[in-house]
Amino acid sequence: MDDRNMESGCSHYNDGESEHSKCIIHVDVDCFYAQVEMVRNPELRSVPLGIQQKNIVVTSNYEARKYGVQKCMLITDALKVCPNLKLVNGEDLHNYRTASNKIFAVLLCWKCPVEKLGMDENYIDVTNLVQEKLKTTNNTSVTLTGHTYNEPSMDCQCGCHTRLRIASQIASEMRKKIYDELGFTTCAGIAHNKLLAKLICPLNKPNDQTTIYPEHGTSFMSTLPSVRSIPSIGSKTTEALISQKIITVSDLQEVSVDVLKKHFSSDMAVRLKGLSLGEDNTPVKQTGKPQSIGLEDSFKIVSVKSEVEDKFTALLQRLLVLVREDGRIPVSLRVTLRKKDAKRLSSHRESRQSQISPSIFTLSNGTLTVTEAGQQKLMNIIMRLFNKLIDLSKPFHLTLVGLAFTKFQERMTGRSSIVNYLMNDISVQSVLNLQNECDMSTTSMDYSAVSPSSSTTTDLSDAEVEPSPKKPKKVTWIAKRRCLSKEEVASPSKLKVGELRLNSKELEKVSELRLNSRDRSLTPRASPAKDNLSDTSDTMKDCEERNCDDCPSYVDKEVFSALPDDMQKELKAMWKNPSSSGVPRSSPRTTNKAKSNTIMKYFVPHK
Ligand code: DCP
Ligand code: MG
Ligand code: MG
């Protein structure tokens, strides 16, 4: 038996081993896929509904669950217990992803870190928000919303009970907003750590929430039947524990760390022990955009090249939808194959990747598109990579093909970031998307990163980087990005420029000029509307007289010409002598370190 106190109370936690100052909410959508279908078609609400993938019911609505239809049941078994079960095919995940991203976007509006977990779950760290609310709250009057696992058994000096009660109210507001705006009912768990928040979440499902106080963590954990119920314990660890006759969480609570250390690394032994007692200090990690966006298609066997090509063509079509939703321009493409070795009855994966030209994609009115010619180029690259992976002079047997865009054009940071504002380019798109998200008017983003396959090789010889063509103009980005606060940025690390606020009247003028110039171009010459623009037209004329012959091709001349003189001079100097300036002349994608310069004075840190 471990020397730790099993019924650990607050004093135990306050010894620094496992403090509980945090407030974590875990939100899980009720019968997620089924609800998406029910929101799309309300007639399905009143009938028992199963979501079918191949021959399995992956989930069912609560009406069907009354009959005993369970997740991952065979269709035949489900129909036996519920002959009236209405089945909807759920193999196309598009609508589920979209709903998932919308829910994530709603949760971002509390401006707390949100970590997406799978499609229908999110952790939200509301610690700071709770602290804010505490300042204006009378501690004694805070009531809990929803259920508790147990009533508080002691008065904790650190104030965690009050904090968690406030967190329960925030959880309730979140669930209400998700329901009001998207129509989904959810469950929530509220606790001082992620582990307990997740595990307590389903206690009163559907459509309800449960709070657990820290002093009940250990006793709650002991009710879990299997060590496998602990989220971070996977099948291999479970096997290893079972082999030591540690089956239930109670078993794990009772075994000493020293015994565990005989079978696991020291860190792992301590972690396992802590988890069994309901301890978890892992932070809520803000979910950003995925590092790669990919899709795979598995099948019994394909041994003919033309069939492979068909598979890739279909996969590419679906992948381009995801990329369009994401909004970033991909610059690298990976092809994955799973090869079956007929002799050894085994299979293995192989991948190759290639750079792709960003010019394959165009951004028009905020929408990423690929022309048919662009798609053909992508297919050519895919098939070339395929040819490198497969020796076509010999028979081959594939059981999976996969495609993934693995790198994306990034905004530049530091001194070079000024170039972002001059480019007719896509990079600002990520900022626009994020702004849209909190307006809830967004097309969705895909956060489900695809893990890199086991054997990836980068094939730079296949690089097809061409000079970027002139891209459609962005006219509203300056105005839009003003609304974007640091907290509204889903992936702050990737959007450093979003943390800056334009402070220059001149750049305001740029924005207006760009807006007006667009209006002008849309207005027929004879239109009276033109007269209304006469003031700015003069300014435009003035601006057009300044030339930008020395500008690199990616620079929007109109914006450049509207910049103040000193800024123009500095930029020109940088382009003339890139080595001293840190700004590339030839490629806008190179990033350099920020140095002190006059350009940065046009920006101030965001408050
Ligand atoms: N899912 C799946 N395959 C599984 C488990 C789940 O495809 N083996 C999908 C269908 C679910 C969704 O993931 O709708 C979310 O999984 P959950 O475990 O949260 O289950 P539900 O949301 O469907 O039901 P619950 O109300 O129990 O959360
Ligand atoms: Mg769920
Ligand atoms: Mg879930």
Side-chain angles (χ1 to χ4, degrees):
M1 172 84 183
D2 192 26
D3 52 0
R4 292 206 213 181
N5 182 4
M6 292 287 294
E7 275 303 318
S8 41
C10 283
S11 54
H12 162 79
Y13 285 96
N14 283 341
D15 65 8
E17 265 191 337
S18 176
E19 53 85 43
H20 42 93
S21 58
K22 283 190 191 164
C23 294
I24 311 293
I25 297 172
H26 178 263
V27 176
D28 187 299
V29 185
D30 299 323
C31 58
F32 180 48
Y33 289 5
Q35 271 209 86
V36 171
E37 300 301 343
M38 292 192 294
V39 166
R40 276 159 53 83
N41 176 7
E43 282 176 13
L44 297 172
R45 285 189 182 284
S46 52
V47 299
L49 171 69
I51 305 300
Q52 177 170 8
Q53 283 179 356
K54 307 231 157 122
N55 59 342
I56 281 173
V57 177
V58 285
T59 195
S60 58
N61 66 0
Y62 279 76
E63 189 58 32
R65 291 186 198 190
K66 284 185 201 161
Y67 295 86
V69 179
Q70 289 168 357
K71 285 180 234 179
C72 297
M73 220 180 195
L74 285 172
I75 297 286
T76 45
D77 292 343
L79 287 170
K80 269 182 208 154
V81 295
C82 181
N84 292 335
L85 186 68
K86 165 90 181 155
L87 289 168
V88 168
N89 188 296
E91 282 165 17
D92 181 352
L93 304 183
H94 178 79
N95 293 328
Y96 309 142
R97 271 199 202 99
T98 305
S100 173
N101 293 336
K102 284 182 176 173
I103 291 164
F104 177 74
V106 169
L107 292 172
L108 281 179
C109 295
W110 271 263
K111 306 194 188 325
C112 297
V114 183
E115 180 179 340
K116 204 166 189 287
L117 185 74
M119 281 234 225
D120 80 331
E121 296 176 32
N122 289 279
Y123 288 110
I124 312 102
D125 183 340
V126 294
T127 309
N128 291 342
L129 184 57
V130 167
Q131 290 295 352
E132 281 302 307
K133 288 191 185 264
L134 260 178
K135 287 180 194 160
T136 54
T137 306
N138 175 2
N139 287 4
T140 51
S141 66
V142 181
T143 54
L144 180 120
T145 306
H147 303 262
T148 44
Y149 172 66
N150 259 332
E151 288 308 311
S153 61
M154 55 189 299
D155 206 15
C156 179
Q157 295 303 304
C158 83
C160 61
H161 293 175
T162 304
R163 287 197 297 272
L164 289 170
R165 281 197 280 265
I166 294 174
S168 76
Q169 295 173 353
I170 298 169
S172 170
E173 288 165 18
M174 289 174 168
R175 293 177 45 243
K176 183 173 182 311
K177 190 169 167 78
I178 292 170
Y179 182 74
D180 290 347
E181 295 192 2
L182 305 171
F184 299 119
T185 63
T186 55
C187 280
I190 302 100
H192 70 289
N193 66 36
K194 283 165 74 176
L195 172 73
L196 291 172
K198 178 173 167 71
L199 289 173
I200 210 71
C201 180
L203 221 68
N204 289 287
K205 70 177 187 179
N207 196 20
D208 217 328
Q209 61 179 66
T210 313
T211 302
I212 182 165
Y213 294 115
E215 68 266 29
H216 300 306
T218 305
S219 58
F220 166 67
M221 292 302 291
S222 70
T223 64
L224 301 177
S226 159
V227 287
R228 188 75 165 95
S229 327
I230 298 177
S232 44
I233 297 189
S235 55
K236 288 217 168 115
T237 310
T238 304
E239 271 173 36
L241 288 167
I242 289 174
S243 70
Q244 298 307 309
K245 307 216 164 17
I246 301 165
I247 293 145
T248 67
V249 176
S250 264
D251 296 338
L252 188 54
Q253 286 179 342
E254 284 170 21
V255 76
S256 77
V257 173
D258 286 340
V259 169
L260 288 172
K261 280 182 182 170
K262 290 182 189 154
H263 308 282
F264 300 95
S265 70
S266 178
D267 283 356
M268 180 73 167
V270 172
R271 169 110 177 110
L272 286 172
K273 182 71 186 177
L275 288 170
S276 76
L277 299 171
E279 294 169 6
D280 173 27
N281 60 9
T282 54
V284 172
K285 236 176 107 199
Q286 175 70 56
T287 298
K289 290 213 172 191
Q291 297 208 326
S292 66
I293 302 173
L295 286 172
E296 293 181 342
D297 187 9
S298 57
F299 32 80
K300 269 200 163 155
I301 207 116
V302 166
S303 308
V304 183
K305 187 180 172 187
S306 62
E307 265 186 64
V308 174
E309 194 158 4
D310 290 347
K311 298 268 182 208
F312 276 130
T313 306
L315 219 48
L316 180 64
Q317 292 305 313
R318 288 169 54 205
L319 192 58
L320 289 174
V321 174
L322 297 184
V323 170
R324 194 173 65 221
E325 287 174 0
D326 180 275
R328 288 170 296 169
I329 289 196
V331 291
S332 176
L333 176 68
R334 184 179 65 218
V335 164
T336 302
L337 303 177
R338 190 170 62 203
K339 296 179 181 177
K340 191 168 184 175
D341 187 331
K343 279 183 206 149
R344 280 184 272 156
L345 292 172
S346 63
S347 54
H348 69 280
R349 282 169 177 254
E350 277 179 40
S351 301
R352 277 220 171 200
Q353 70 182 28
S354 161
Q355 288 183 15
I356 52 173
S357 164
S359 67
I360 289 176
F361 300 84
T362 48
L363 199 82
S364 162
N365 293 329
T367 306
L368 200 62
T369 51
V370 188
T371 58
E372 281 204 7
Q375 291 184 29
Q376 192 51 54
K377 270 190 185 173
L378 288 171
M379 274 311 295
N380 292 345
I381 296 170
I382 291 166
M383 291 315 289
R384 215 163 50 231
L385 292 174
F386 169 77
N387 287 342
K388 292 194 174 182
L389 284 162
I390 292 284
D391 179 356
L392 287 169
S393 64
K394 295 178 185 155
F396 66 87
H397 308 289
L398 301 180
T399 57
L400 175 143
V401 295
L403 281 185
F405 291 115
T406 52
K407 283 184 197 144
F408 301 88
Q409 266 189 338
E410 293 282 349
R411 287 182 67 93
M412 283 170 288
T413 57
R415 180 179 193 167
S416 310
S417 62
I418 187 65
V419 177
N420 290 310
Y421 293 93
L422 302 171
M423 285 166 67
N424 299 310
D425 202 3
I426 49 93
S427 309
V428 284
Q429 178 55 20
S430 48
V431 178
L432 296 183
N433 269 359
L434 289 164
Q435 175 58 39
N436 286 344
E437 258 185 31
C438 262
D439 297 342
M440 292 307 299
S441 57
T442 178
T443 55
S444 64
M445 292 195 292
D446 182 30
Y447 291 88
S448 50
V450 174
S451 58
S453 59
S454 49
S455 59
T456 302
T457 55
T458 302
D459 187 352
L460 295 176
S461 64
D462 263 327
E464 280 209 347
V465 181
E466 297 160 11
S468 281
K470 194 162 167 72
K471 301 275 185 355
K473 290 185 175 159
K474 288 262 130 347
V475 290
T476 53
W477 57 268
I478 291 179
K480 284 204 176 189
R481 68 186 294 283
R482 286 242 164 77
C483 311
L484 190 81
S485 74
K486 189 176 177 181
E487 292 78 7
E488 285 166 322
V489 177
S491 177
S493 61
K494 292 182 187 141
L495 288 166
K496 290 195 179 128
V497 178
E499 293 168 22
L500 298 168
R501 182 163 56 91
L502 288 171
N503 191 32
S504 140
K505 284 267 177 261
E506 285 87 346
L507 283 177
E508 217 161 75
K509 200 168 88 183
V510 173
S511 164
E512 281 162 19
L513 287 175
R514 298 209 60 175
L515 284 164
N516 288 334
S517 88
R518 188 189 195 194
D519 286 348
R520 199 175 48 164
S521 68
L522 294 172
T523 311
R525 279 195 168 274
S527 163
K530 189 173 178 249
D531 293 335
N532 298 339
L533 290 167
S534 57
D535 281 351
T536 43
S537 296
D538 286 343
T539 322
M540 282 301 296
K541 203 167 151 236
D542 179 41
C543 287
E544 279 156 12
E545 278 163 11
R546 306 176 187 195
N547 75 66
C548 184
D549 294 340
D550 301 337
C551 297
S553 59
Y554 57 82
V555 168
D556 186 324
K557 292 188 174 145
E558 202 177 294
V559 173
F560 179 86
S561 58
L563 292 174
D565 283 343
D566 56 343
M567 205 170 185
Q568 287 196 9
K569 267 189 204 150
E570 187 168 349
L571 282 165
K572 281 188 178 179
M574 286 194 292
W575 289 323
K576 241 184 187 158
N577 188 4
S579 57
S580 69
S581 67
V583 173
R585 187 180 172 85
S586 55
S587 163
R589 282 171 47 211
T590 315
T591 305
N592 285 288
K593 274 208 166 142
K595 293 175 194 164
S596 75
N597 56 68
T598 54
I599 288 169
M600 291 314 282
K601 81 184 177 201
Y602 293 95
F603 299 87
V604 293
H606 199 295
K607 291 206 173 115

